[in-house]
Amino acid sequence: MLKEPLFHFVVLGFLLFLAGRSYQTRTDIYRIEVTPAHVAQLSRSYALQFGTPPDPATLEQLIETDLHDEMLFRQGRALKLDQDDEIVRRRVVQKEQFLMQNLHAPAEPTDAQLQAYYAAHADHYAAPSRAAFSHIFFAVGPDGDAAAQARAKAVLAKIPAGVTRAPERGDAFPDLYDFSAFEPEQVERLFGHTDFSGAVFTAPAGRWSGPYRSAYGWHLLYVANRDAPTRPPLADVRDRVRSDDLQDAQDGANTAAFDQIAKRFTIVRADRKAAP
């Protein structure tokens, strides 16, 4: 019988049947195996959230809830509800990005690397310029923008020498007239990204100048003093430099990891028509 081809065919078919059933059992979307490792993971997640491991009753409830969610998830996959779903797609992308960061975490930078990084990005850590200034405000009324500008010019021509503040010569302003140690970002937050905001850090100090336009109207400006940007020593900003260096290294590693993934794909741009 061992020499009969039919016997060989039956045995081979039976082995293939067993292998197929085994594979189907292991890959059946409707077969859920609750493993000790998975139960331990549920217990750890609970302990991380609540600070203590779950008691037996709570753990059993966690398993039941997990099975409930897993059955819904698999049924959804069977119905292909995960396809063409932007929320699912975005979540998978986020998990893959997180996985890449775990696999390519940068090494702790050395002192020499931090010094080199700081030298290459020193302007990023410099304390910005600060200015102390006063202004006279001219609102734009029914007679138009040009009229308010003309009033400002007329007042500028009559301000006596030595006067450093004169809000009464203009119109009421909804905020302060005098500012001390204001940084560019603070000035722009109040007056907008305007000619007046720029003039605070470029106009000559010690005398009135203008008029300059802001988001409110026109201003005459008196800059009392202005501090130049200062660059702190590395020791004062070491934590920031270290964090930025690690982030740049992580970004570079993520880019390299993605490039490796991208090499596996063939991109066909059917949306791009050939030039005539």
Side-chain angles (χ1 to χ4, degrees), residues 17-92:
F17 171 77
L18 291 178
R21 286 297 301 271
S22 176
Y23 177 79
Q24 183 180 14
T25 299
R26 286 185 287 107
T27 59
D28 187 358
I29 194 172
Y30 291 108
R31 179 179 181 275
I32 302 176
E33 182 178 357
V34 181
T35 64
H38 186 64
V39 173
Q41 178 60 42
L42 292 175
S43 180
R44 284 194 297 270
S45 298
Y46 181 93
L48 287 174
Q49 182 176 1
F50 296 101
T52 181
D55 57 45
T58 302
L59 181 59
E60 189 60 32
Q61 184 60 49
L62 290 174
I63 295 172
E64 290 297 327
T65 301
D66 184 72
L67 283 170
H68 173 272
D69 293 346
E70 183 67 18
M71 285 186 281
L72 289 180
F73 173 69
R74 294 193 182 197
Q75 180 63 22
R77 284 180 56 198
L79 297 175
K80 298 182 179 181
L81 299 182
D82 58 324
Q83 297 182 10
D84 301 322
D85 189 302
E86 181 59 30
I87 296 177
V88 173
R89 179 177 181 271
R90 191 179 305 128
R91 180 59 177 159
V92 172

Side-chain angles (χ1 to χ4, degrees), residues 181-196:
F182 256 52
E183 299 176 0
E185 182 179 350
Q186 294 173 296
V187 177
E188 289 190 2
R189 191 181 304 132
L190 178 58
F191 294 96
H193 187 67
T194 57
D195 290 342
F196 178 78

Side-chain angles (χ1 to χ4, degrees), residues 57-245:
T58 302
L59 181 59
E60 189 60 32
Q61 184 60 49
L62 290 174
I63 295 172
E64 290 297 327
T65 301
D66 184 72
L67 283 170
H68 173 272
D69 293 346
E70 183 67 18
M71 285 186 281
L72 289 180
F73 173 69
R74 294 193 182 197
Q75 180 63 22
R77 284 180 56 198
L79 297 175
K80 298 182 179 181
L81 299 182
D82 58 324
Q83 297 182 10
D84 301 322
D85 189 302
E86 181 59 30
I87 296 177
V88 173
R89 179 177 181 271
R90 191 179 305 128
R91 180 59 177 159
V92 172
V93 169
Q94 290 173 345
K95 293 183 72 173
E96 176 60 24
Q97 290 174 333
F98 183 75
L99 177 62
M100 284 195 304
Q101 291 182 2
N102 283 344
L103 295 177
H104 304 90
E108 184 69 24
T110 64
D111 289 343
Q113 289 174 325
L114 288 180
Q115 186 63 55
Y117 186 91
Y118 177 69
H121 304 84
D123 290 345
H124 177 69
Y125 304 100
S129 177
R130 292 180 174 87
F133 63 95
S134 182
H135 71 107
I136 305 173
F137 174 64
F138 299 88
V140 177
D143 48 356
D145 198 80
Q149 184 182 18
R151 285 196 296 126
K153 289 180 178 180
V155 170
L156 177 63
K158 298 179 180 179
I159 298 179
V163 173
T164 59
R165 67 182 309 275
E168 72 284 352
R169 293 175 179 263
D171 300 323
F173 185 68
D175 208 289
L176 301 175
Y177 289 98
D178 306 302
F179 300 87
S180 177
F182 256 52
E183 299 176 0
E185 182 179 350
Q186 294 173 296
V187 177
E188 289 190 2
R189 191 181 304 132
L190 178 58
F191 294 96
H193 187 67
T194 57
D195 290 342
F196 178 78
S197 298
V200 171
F201 297 94
T202 57
R207 65 181 180 86
W208 289 95
S209 61
Y212 304 106
R213 192 68 162 86
S214 81
Y216 297 98
W218 291 91
H219 306 257
L220 298 179
L221 172 66
Y222 183 90
V223 179
N225 59 72
R226 197 158 43 221
D227 298 329
T230 58
R231 185 174 299 173
L234 173 59
D236 291 352
V237 291
R238 181 183 179 84
D239 289 343
R240 285 180 56 198
V241 175
R242 173 186 172 277
S243 177
D244 293 343
D245 179 77

